[in-house]
Amino acid sequence: MTTAGPAFGDAYDDPQRTNPDLPRVTRAPRLRPRDRRIVQALALTALLPAFLVLKWTDETDGMQKNLKPPEKVTTVPNGATGTLVGAQWKAVGRQARAPLAFGTKPKDDTVTELQVVLAVRPDDAAAAKTIGSYGFVYTFTDGGGRSWSANGLAAGTPRPGAVTRLTVRGTVPRTEAAALALRVQAPKTSQKPGKPLPSLRFAP
């Protein structure tokens, strides 16, 4: 008669190893639910600063991409000449007049059309091409940080060494017109790497 040996499960727990042919199985100690939550909380606490740094870096990069490029503004006194994108710029005329009326819309006496005429002389062909292209930003500004957009239109095709007249027009408050300066910002395509975007400010 054959005597049955120990049960399969009992052999794994046999403290005296009565059956050496069976491998020893070591069970990893299990954490209690409370201890597991503590370990998880510590892990999250360690990862949180890194997550915040990554999020701050992403947001900073996004803000820098959306911010306006740094600008270097050179003030040009009355009667003086300023240099911008390889050309000489000088304000030669300024006047304010009633803006054009459209249809039956009543006349607005609180605003006026401010015009500034600029004489622009490109130094070379590259400058003449830039002057004749799009991308310049014209604004009338006051001393308090307010600005009003304007449009510039050249009379004819700019040529190297020749003076071209460029008229800038914009609708501004009538009471502010005499004190507003004209700012001419170069096209963003002309900005050199690592350098601010150049602009000229013509004093009123």
Side-chain angles (χ1 to χ4, degrees):
M1 180 174 181
T2 303
T3 304
F8 187 76
D10 295 338
Y12 278 85
D13 299 327
D14 185 0
Q16 299 181 359
R17 300 285 291 167
T18 57
N19 194 341
D21 295 332
L22 294 176
R24 179 185 296 273
V25 177
T26 302
R27 291 188 176 92
R30 294 184 178 180
L31 293 175
R32 293 178 296 178
R34 180 175 178 273
D35 295 337
R36 187 182 300 112
R37 287 194 295 269
I38 294 176
V39 172
Q40 292 173 347
L42 292 175
L44 289 175
T45 302
L47 292 175
L48 184 59
F51 172 76
L52 292 177
V53 169
L54 290 175
K55 189 175 189 304
W56 179 83
T57 302
D58 292 341
E59 291 181 352
T60 300
D61 292 341
M63 290 177 61
Q64 291 178 347
K65 291 178 181 179
N66 293 327
L67 287 176
K68 294 182 179 179
E71 185 180 6
K72 180 182 179 181
V73 182
T74 301
T75 298
V76 182
N78 286 324
T81 301
T83 302
L84 184 66
V85 295
Q88 307 304 311
W89 298 65
K90 182 178 181 180
V92 295
R94 181 185 179 109
Q95 66 174 341
R97 65 180 188 180
L100 297 176
F102 296 94
T104 58
K105 186 177 180 179
K107 183 179 179 180
D108 187 353
D109 293 330
T110 65
V111 297
T112 186
E113 183 184 76
L114 182 59
Q115 295 185 6
V116 175
V117 180
L118 302 172
V120 186
R121 182 174 61 83
D123 295 336
D124 51 31
K129 183 178 180 181
T130 302
I131 299 301
S133 64
Y134 295 98
F136 285 92
V137 178
Y138 303 96
T139 53
F140 290 112
T141 63
D142 65 4
R146 296 181 301 172
S147 63
W148 293 264
S149 60
N151 297 313
L153 181 63
T157 302
R159 301 183 184 279
V163 175
T164 298
R165 286 186 173 261
L166 191 152
T167 303
V168 180
R169 295 183 175 91
T171 302
V172 300
R174 182 174 54 82
T175 56
E176 303 285 343
L180 297 181
L182 170 62
R183 188 180 66 183
V184 181
Q185 185 184 71
K188 293 181 180 180
T189 54
S190 65
Q191 184 178 13
K192 297 180 180 180
K195 300 293 184 179
L197 190 63
S199 297
L200 293 180
R201 177 185 178 274
F202 293 92

